Structures are given as C-alpha cells and as structure tokens.
Amino acid sequence: MDLLIKNAFVVDPTSPFHNQKVDIKILKNIISEINTTIEDNQIENLNLNNLHISKGWMDSSVALGEPGFEERETILNGLEVAAKSGFTNIALQPNTNPVIDNQTIVSFVKSKAFGKATTLNPIGALTKQQEGKDIAEMFDMKNAGAIAFGDYKKSIDNANLLKIALQYSQDFDALLLAFCNDANIKGKGVVHEGITSTKLGLKGIPALAEEVVLARNLFLLEYTSGKMHVPTISTTKSVELIKEAKSKGLNVTCSVAIHNLVLTDEVLNEFDTRYKVNPPIRTEEHRQALINGVFDGTIDCITSDHHPLDIEHKKMEFDMAKDGTIGLESAFGTLATILPVEVIVEKLNAAKTIFGIENTSIDINQPASLTLFNPEGKSVFNKDLILSKSQNSAFLNQEMKGEVYGIYNNGILNIK
C-alpha cells in the first residue's frame, strides 16, 4: 500500500535524515520522497503521537511451535505478534515437530508466512533431528531459504562434528549458530548456581557450563576460520571470551536475551516458573557485564528469545517446568527502562546484517522496512498486552517505557 507518514522523527545513523522530523512518502514499497512537509491526500496519511521511526528490527531467536506445537503458537499469529511488537523480520528456530532439518520443512514454514508484513527467516537445524549426531542437509536448506544453522538450546557435544560443519559451511558461506552449555556440568541444575539457588534449595547451573563450551567453540572457530554466531550469552566470562576472540579477528558474533539484561536471579524467590529460562537468569554482576558488553560492541544484537509454552508445561513444579519465556510484546518497553533509544534501535536492527538480510537505510529510493514507535510514556506490562497464544511472560507486572505502534514492511502497514 502507498502511505504518507507524517511528522516522523528519524532514528537511523545511516540516514541523511537522522535526528530530523520529516514526512515520508512511500509508493509501491519504495521511499519516494522525504521532506519537512509533504502534502498528498490521494494516499493514506499516518499521523501518530510522538512518532519515531527506524530501520526495521529483527529478532534473531523466535520459536513459534508450528508445525507440531500449534497449541503454543501458530506461524500466522506469531507473525502478527512480531509485527505489532515492531519486528519486520524474525529468525525462526527449528524446534518444531518435525524439526526444520530439510528443505521441505524450510519451504513449508516460508509458505505459511507468505504475504505477511513480518518476514519469516527460518533457521535450519545443524544436525538431523537436533540430535547432535549427523550434520543436516545445510546446503539444500540454504537454497530453500534458511538463513543460518543451529540446534536450538543444544550444544554440539561432538567437537569434531562442529569442526567439520564449520569447514563445510564455508563452501556456501553459511552462518553456524553454536549454543553453549555443557550438559554434564549443568547436570540437573535449573537456576544459576549462587547464593539464591542455595537459599531456595534449587539445583544450580554454574556459569562454567556455558563458558567451557564457548572457549572450546572459539578454539574450533580459530582452527577452521569459519563463521559463527553465539546465541544468548549470559556470563561475565563469556563476554570476555567473545571480546578476546574478536580482538584476534575471528568471525564471531553474539546475542544476549532481554531477560538476562534486565532481570537477576532474585526474582526467583517466589519459585515462579515464568523465570525458568535457558541460559538461566544470573546475578547483578553478570547482568552488568552483559550491559557493558552491549555498550562496547562485544554483544552484537539483542533478542527477545521468544519461546511460547502452554500452561501445562509452565504451571508445575520448578524442576519439571520447561525453559522459556515469551518476549516479543515486551521487548522494546523493557529495554527502554535500561538502555538509550539509539542503542536499542541499533541492537534490535543488527541481526539483519549478521544474518545477511537486506538492511537499507531510511532514504529516498530505498525499500521501506520501518519500525514505528514512541519512546516516551510509562506503563505496566499485564496480561491484556499479551498478543501471543501462550502467556508465559517473565515480564508480567514489570514497568515499561514507551510504546511500539507497529511496522511498515513488504508493502504492508501493520499497526496496533
């Protein structure tokens, strides 16, 4: 649809209109004009309160369930949630049933998302059935539209398999995701190992469980000269390891989950399973290290790590509950309580570059992929604001700042 966006404050350092309030005219999904004032009553005019506009955001880790777990979330509703939460692109995790480990399933999920405002970008499983034994059909999946390859929330225990995958993936410039968690060190742990876990009598997960695997994976990356993205790091040492690897010139990027940036393990005092996530919410020391990593560029992007789960898998004993929280709806509002707007926009947009998605600036003759939001105002996140089918949010009753209006992408305006 053609659209005239009125009085929009541009937040895009790559644009010549950065930090300016302008009108933006979009014709056939292309920005045709940007000026202080544009008048055109022949197309729809959009004028929203304190409208700020940026390049479209991308969430690098979204689980939706379909196919196989539609009771948790469907692709269609998940894309609607993403659009109204400000995301023009999502990277879909392969933890479906059947697992996204072949070109047929990649094509299926992409077909389900056809014609929607938010673009769905599938991540293919790195190993068949995410079992960590045999490398999946990466080349075929990439040809079908997969943007990267990784087993969701599963480390590759076999170092040689990961080494071979890093070498093989270079033949077709594929990005590998390497989640870091030593299952033996984690054992039966369910929360961060520390004072809080001891007080509550819950089995702890040492930071070492993440760090020892990350160190190994970075050695493999250095050996193979491959390309690796490390999703959702959560410890002080992990930030240091990534920073050191980058200083060596290794082709490595990483993300952090919003709940690890905002919350500490003190929220566990009520044994609320909404806070059971993987990696676990850790201490203030780790949280501050992650925030510092965001500011100094060690951490490349921020993800909601959106993982819908039905009530049967969450409302139960802490040890038995599944890991995961939804996070799309609360992403911007939560981050705005701890980070400047410019940093939030940068880190929510950065995944596009990492995953090889077109990332054009807000400029004339460029495709329009835009997020619309208001950075001001305060509210409390409650169940009425949850758009997902599942309601397992770690941010219920948390104070939020600002509001997301929605997106313009793929020639479609999708706003609340």
Side-chain angles (χ1 to χ4, degrees):
M1 65 176 290
D2 297 339
L3 183 68
L4 177 58
I5 301 174
K6 303 288 291 183
N7 301 311
F9 186 84
V10 177
V11 184
D12 177 11
T14 68
S15 167
F17 302 94
H18 179 52
N19 282 341
Q20 296 180 38
K21 182 174 279 190
V22 296
D23 291 355
I24 302 174
K25 186 175 182 179
I26 303 170
L27 299 177
K28 296 181 179 179
N29 199 31
I30 301 295
I31 298 174
S32 64
E33 185 179 356
I34 300 178
N35 217 321
T36 305
T37 303
I38 302 172
E39 299 297 334
D40 189 338
N41 294 322
Q42 301 302 310
I43 60 176
E44 182 174 340
N45 284 217
L46 182 69
N47 201 337
L48 299 170
N49 179 49
N50 194 31
L51 175 61
H52 284 55
I53 197 163
S54 74
K55 293 192 290 186
W57 305 339
M58 177 173 177
D59 196 326
S60 61
S61 179
V62 174
L64 291 181
E66 187 178 3
F69 303 109
E70 287 83 357
E71 72 279 4
R72 301 176 186 176
E73 188 56 281
T74 63
I75 288 174
L76 293 183
N77 190 65
L79 292 174
E80 188 72 14
V81 174
K84 288 182 166 54
S85 302
F87 294 94
T88 59
N89 294 75
I90 61 169
L92 179 68
Q93 292 288 356
N95 59 325
T96 52
N97 185 20
V99 171
I100 303 176
D101 66 356
N102 62 74
Q103 60 180 334
T104 301
I105 308 300
V106 170
S107 298
F108 169 78
V109 295
K110 282 184 69 68
S111 69
K112 292 285 288 188
F114 181 77
K116 301 302 175 184
T118 295
T119 302
L120 183 148
N121 306 104
I123 295 173
L126 178 57
T127 66
K128 293 179 180 179
Q129 298 297 308
Q130 295 196 120
E131 292 176 345
K133 296 177 181 178
D134 301 299
I135 295 175
E137 301 166 0
M138 290 194 291
F139 181 70
D140 288 344
M141 283 192 283
K142 182 168 185 181
N143 288 339
I147 58 167
F149 305 94
D151 293 353
Y152 183 58
K153 301 296 183 185
K154 294 184 177 182
S155 286
I156 302 298
D157 294 335
N158 186 333
N160 191 53
L161 186 149
L162 182 57
K163 175 182 75 77
I164 293 170
L166 283 165
Q167 293 170 326
Y168 170 57
S169 62
Q170 294 175 56
D171 292 342
F172 48 99
D173 193 31
L175 176 66
L176 299 193
L177 277 60
F179 181 73
C180 299
N181 180 40
D182 188 297
N184 293 315
I185 294 177
K186 176 186 176 183
K188 295 182 179 180
V190 291
V191 297
H192 173 68
E193 181 183 80
I195 294 173
T196 299
S197 66
T198 303
K199 282 182 179 178
L200 299 178
L202 294 171
K203 292 182 176 67
I205 305 171
L208 181 67
E210 175 178 311
E211 295 157 359
V212 71
V213 177
L214 176 56
R216 183 206 71 172
N217 289 352
L218 292 174
F219 274 122
L220 292 171
L221 180 64
E222 185 173 14
Y223 178 83
T224 59
S225 301
K227 182 166 62 173
M228 178 187 292
H229 178 73
V230 184
T232 59
I233 65 171
S234 67
T235 79
T236 301
K237 185 65 175 176
S238 290
V239 175
E240 294 171 358
L241 287 167
I242 295 287
K243 191 171 187 177
E244 180 185 357
K246 288 187 172 186
S247 71
K248 292 180 179 179
L250 300 189
N251 195 346
V252 60
T253 55
C254 70
S255 69
V256 63
I258 294 173
H259 41 267
N260 288 106
L261 273 182
V262 176
L263 305 174
T264 69
D265 60 356
E266 292 181 3
V267 299
L268 297 168
N269 288 328
E270 299 298 322
F271 296 91
D272 194 329
T273 57
R274 289 184 298 113
Y275 302 118
K276 189 182 181 190
V277 290
N278 184 20
I281 297 166
R282 301 195 188 271
T283 62
E284 179 66 12
E285 175 192 350
H286 291 293
R287 190 182 80 86
Q288 284 298 330
L290 294 170
I291 289 176
N292 292 338
V294 167
F295 278 109
D296 70 18
T298 302
I299 295 174
D300 301 274
C301 63
I302 298 174
T303 173
S304 72
D305 203 15
H306 183 81
H307 189 185
L309 292 167
D310 52 276
I311 193 170
E312 286 83 2
H313 289 100
K314 272 306 223 185
K315 195 157 186 170
M316 56 198 310
E317 294 88 346
F318 203 97
D319 287 356
M320 303 295 293
K322 285 188 176 292
D323 301 318
T325 176
I326 59 172
L328 286 170
E329 300 98 313
S330 55
F332 176 79
T334 308
L335 287 173
T337 64
I338 62 166
L339 296 174
V341 170
E342 293 79 6
V343 175
I344 297 170
V345 168
E346 175 196 350
K347 298 301 180 181
L348 290 182
N349 174 262
K352 282 187 173 179
T353 302
I354 294 169
F355 287 83
I357 307 298
E358 184 180 33
N359 195 15
T360 54
S361 64
I362 299 175
D363 201 357
I364 298 168
N365 296 324
Q366 295 295 314
S369 178
L370 308 170
T371 296
L372 290 65
F373 63 98
N374 175 3
E376 301 300 326
K378 293 184 178 180
S379 62
V380 175
F381 189 71
N382 57 44
K383 287 188 177 181
D384 293 338
L385 299 176
I386 293 178
L387 306 173
S388 302
K389 286 183 67 176
S390 297
Q391 299 195 336
N392 56 307
S393 171
F395 296 107
L396 279 177
N397 304 318
Q398 294 280 322
E399 186 175 271
M400 303 279 154
K401 183 180 178 183
E403 176 187 7
V404 175
Y405 292 123
I407 62 171
Y408 182 96
N409 190 50
N410 295 330
I412 301 169
L413 176 68
N414 190 326
I415 59 176
K416 294 177 181 175

